[in-house]
Amino acid sequence: MPDVTKLASPLEVGGVRIRNRVFLAPMSGITDEPFRQRAHAHGAGLVVSEMVASGELAKGRAGSGLRIRHSGLPVHMVQLAGREAVHMAEGARIAAGEGADIIDINMGCPAKKVTGGYAGSALMRDLDHALSLIEAVVGAVDVPVTVKMRLGWDESALNAPMLARRAEQAGVRMVTVHGRTRCQFYQGTADWRAIARVKQAVSIPVVANGDVGSPAEAALILDQSGADAVMIGRAHYGAPWTAGSIVAAALAEPVSGMPDSPQALTDYVIAHYEDMLTLYGAESGLRQARKHLGWYLDRHAVTSDDWRKAILTSFEPGRVIALLRDMFSSAPEAPNLRSVA
């Protein structure tokens, strides 16, 4: 079995010290301030804001500023997406002005609404244009700039090594590679060995991403890819402690702040819910929180369709909280709490 202890060691990115090598991936509509704060508290080495559209940020669109707001964590990392160099540069300046310590450029999102606008992973179809965006961002700010990408657009164009090499030459200080092409979306399995070709092409840190949710998987992806760190996304659904549990396993220590009883889990979920209501306001917060509540229910509660529907459709926070207490506290145990450790 590959050595997992490397994951607990620090990593430097352009002069910024990262406390360990297990990162929370940026996920649109998910890794907001309450989620990032929890993942960090549990031990994630680095947490990244949800993707922010640089054009909306540059134009001062409502909600974009909230996504880049400093949450008080030791390292504030903001991810920008876009296709216009002027907007990417201005978005980077705004993010840095808000205290961003690292700015990440999204060149990996496979969503049609992003690639349809020639942003995200669509940029891997035109490396010259992708480099113009990288150069604009690097030239606009003094903080380290990183890039997140996929293996390529499809199997006929696995150009991540070339993009990573050119990005390094343009001043990028770290690259993250999801081990799928854009056309795969999230189907099939991530090709961890293919990430090794990116690692061989550059001298900056490489972060491996895709299909990781346990200490064994984290150690194996590092072994097969040769990467310097691992980034974990969807395994955090309903379990913000996932990255922290992998670090804790590497240290042979308990997970910091992880709920360890039905009552603790109940309080945890409700606190997360209330923090989202505070951040977004009651009306928007109710909608934003539903996906998280659904994931918590899926992973940790035994509930009927009627109860689930009542929790996820109610417009009354007090009723939602009462139903959550009934759902989680009535369980004789919390069997899934340690499933990722």
Side-chain angles (χ1 to χ4, degrees), residues 45-249:
L46 184 66
V47 299
V48 191
S49 79
E50 54 187 317
M51 180 180 66
V52 183
S54 59
E56 293 184 3
L57 185 59
K59 296 173 183 177
R61 295 283 174 81
S64 58
L66 192 62
R67 293 185 176 189
I68 67 166
R69 188 175 74 176
H70 202 299
S71 55
L73 300 179
V75 178
H76 182 41
M77 186 170 178
V78 172
Q79 187 186 71
L80 297 177
R83 65 178 299 270
E84 301 291 342
V86 64
H87 289 158
M88 290 292 287
E90 181 60 18
R93 282 190 285 266
I94 293 170
E98 290 293 322
D101 300 293
I102 303 173
I103 293 174
D104 186 59
I105 302 175
N106 185 312
M107 295 190 175
C109 180
K112 291 182 179 179
K113 67 179 181 180
V114 176
T115 59
Y118 301 101
S121 56
L123 292 167
M124 300 193 73
R125 304 182 78 177
D126 185 347
L127 296 194
D128 288 340
H129 183 59
L131 263 292
S132 72
L133 303 185
I134 291 171
E135 290 166 351
V137 173
V138 171
V141 296
D142 295 325
V143 301
V145 175
T146 64
V147 175
K148 190 172 190 292
M149 64 185 72
R150 288 202 163 211
L151 296 176
W153 179 258
D154 58 27
E155 290 294 329
S156 69
L158 301 177
N159 56 1
M162 183 180 298
L163 174 58
R165 186 183 305 113
R166 294 183 65 180
E168 179 182 21
Q169 292 169 350
V172 161
R173 310 305 291 271
M174 181 176 76
V175 296
T176 299
V177 185
H178 183 108
R180 288 182 174 86
T181 65
R182 184 272 174 182
C183 289
Q184 285 181 275
F185 285 86
Y186 294 100
Q187 297 177 348
T189 57
D191 187 348
W192 296 344
R193 296 186 187 280
I195 300 173
R197 293 193 287 273
V198 179
K199 177 60 181 174
Q200 294 161 5
V202 298
S203 59
I204 54 177
V206 172
V207 184
N209 174 225
D211 294 351
V212 175
S214 71
E217 289 165 343
L220 191 58
I221 194 174
L222 291 187
D223 182 65
Q224 293 187 359
S225 68
D228 303 280
V230 59
M231 181 173 278
I232 302 168
R234 292 170 294 155
H236 283 94
Y237 290 1
W241 49 80
T242 299
S245 72
I246 292 172
V247 177

